[in-house]
Amino acid sequence: DAKTTQPPSMDCAEGRAANLPCNHSTISGNEYVYWYRQIHSQGPQYIIHGLKNNETNEMASLIITEDRKSSTLILPHATLRDTAVYYCIVRVAHAGNNRKLIWGLGTSLAVNP
Amino acid sequence: DGGITQSPKYLFRKEGQNVTLSCEQNLNHDAMYWYRQDPGQGLRLIYYSQIVNDFQKGDIAEGYSVSREKKESFPLTVTSAQKNPTAFYLCASMPGQANYGYTFGSGTRLTVV
């Protein structure tokens, strides 16, 4: 699976949109982009995933560039509870391919009052 | 509510002892995974199982063992052969349809004393 690159940290004001970038320039055509977040000392929480179209759910929006080499996770109105480490990973969509999943260090998002 | 339960939340082990971490899910998910997380590092895959009575080594399986006798349960044993067992251990599961995301447990923090 492709490797991803994320900024180590970001700040966002409460109530503003948080835009978290992810670079995955070596992504293959059959790899999905997944986003998770991890609040301190808890298990990661699934946020959203997509292949090439933009996606939106109750938690966030995912914007994938046309060449699929990068994506942005958007939290439209960040709250203090959104303070967490956000992970962007890419994986082939079949259950057997897990050995090469690369979880990087993610982006530590601090939402400030 | 459906979910994954890891127990205990905190575990202390003396050097040379084996210890078993519990992971139970009631989501009817086929696949289950064990990850290890160290401070300042991403998640690393220890073992995974796609069906009952079958499991595969991940990237850092040495010093660990697992079993999958029931669909709901995937316990991890940290043996005395694991030289640096102090870490945060995360269990996850996924349905058979592979393009769903992981559901993670809340983790077990193991400390060797």
Side-chain angles (χ1 to χ4, degrees), chain B residues 60-87:
Chain B
I60 55 166
E62 184 175 352
Y64 300 97
S65 66
V66 293
S67 63
R68 186 87 187 274
E69 298 176 1
K70 298 185 300 181
K71 189 175 186 177
E72 302 80 16
S73 179
F74 192 40
L76 173 74
T77 296
V78 184
T79 75
S80 56
Q82 169 51 237
K83 297 305 177 189
N84 187 19
T86 295

Side-chain angles (χ1 to χ4, degrees), chain A residues 36 38 49 91 98-99 105, chain B residues 37 40 57 59 98-99 102 105:
Chain A
Y36 293 82
Q38 186 176 25
H49 75 281
R91 65 180 291 266
N98 288 280
R99 298 189 64 177
L105 297 180
Chain B
Q37 188 174 35
K57 293 181 179 180
D59 298 316
N99 64 343
Y102 292 105

Side-chain angles (χ1 to χ4, degrees), chain A residues 32 34 36 38 40-46 49 87 89 91-96 98-105, chain B residues 9 33 35 37 40-43 45 48 50 57-59 88 90 94 96 98-102 104-106 109:
Chain A
Y32 285 72
Y34 286 79
Y36 293 82
Q38 186 176 25
H40 183 63
S41 294
Q42 297 183 22
Q45 176 190 25
Y46 165 81
H49 75 281
Y87 296 99
I89 64 172
R91 65 180 291 266
V92 176
H94 65 83
N98 288 280
R99 298 189 64 177
K100 296 182 181 178
L101 259 184
I102 301 173
W103 290 74
L105 297 180
Chain B
K9 190 168 179 65
Y33 308 84
Y35 283 93
Q37 188 174 35
Q41 295 193 33
L43 278 67
L45 183 64
Y48 65 102
Q50 294 178 253
K57 293 181 179 180
D59 298 316
F88 188 47
L90 287 159
M94 188 186 298
N99 64 343
Y100 282 79
Y102 292 105
F104 280 89
S106 57
R109 190 166 298 279

Side-chain angles (χ1 to χ4, degrees), chain A residues 2-113:
Chain A
K3 185 177 177 180
T4 61
T5 303
Q6 300 176 252
S9 64
M10 294 183 64
D11 287 294
C12 177
E14 189 177 18
R16 303 295 294 269
N19 298 298
L20 292 90
C22 180
N23 180 286
H24 31 80
S25 58
T26 60
I27 193 170
S28 301
N30 60 350
E31 287 182 316
Y32 285 72
V33 180
Y34 286 79
W35 283 84
Y36 293 82
R37 72 179 183 185
Q38 186 176 25
I39 296 170
H40 183 63
S41 294
Q42 297 183 22
Q45 176 190 25
Y46 165 81
I47 301 173
I48 198 167
H49 75 281
L51 183 62
K52 49 186 172 182
N53 297 322
N54 298 337
E55 302 288 344
T56 295
N57 63 21
E58 64 279 2
M59 291 182 67
S61 295
L62 174 61
I63 308 297
I64 303 174
T65 58
E66 192 168 342
D67 63 9
R68 305 210 321 122
K69 293 184 177 182
S70 66
S71 60
T72 300
L73 179 75
I74 300 173
L75 308 178
H77 305 287
T79 71
L80 298 179
R81 286 184 227 177
D82 292 321
T83 293
V85 177
Y86 288 77
Y87 296 99
C88 165
I89 64 172
V90 297
R91 65 180 291 266
V92 176
H94 65 83
N97 186 14
N98 288 280
R99 298 189 64 177
K100 296 182 181 178
L101 259 184
I102 301 173
W103 290 74
L105 297 180
T107 296
S108 179
L109 174 69
V111 180
N112 303 309

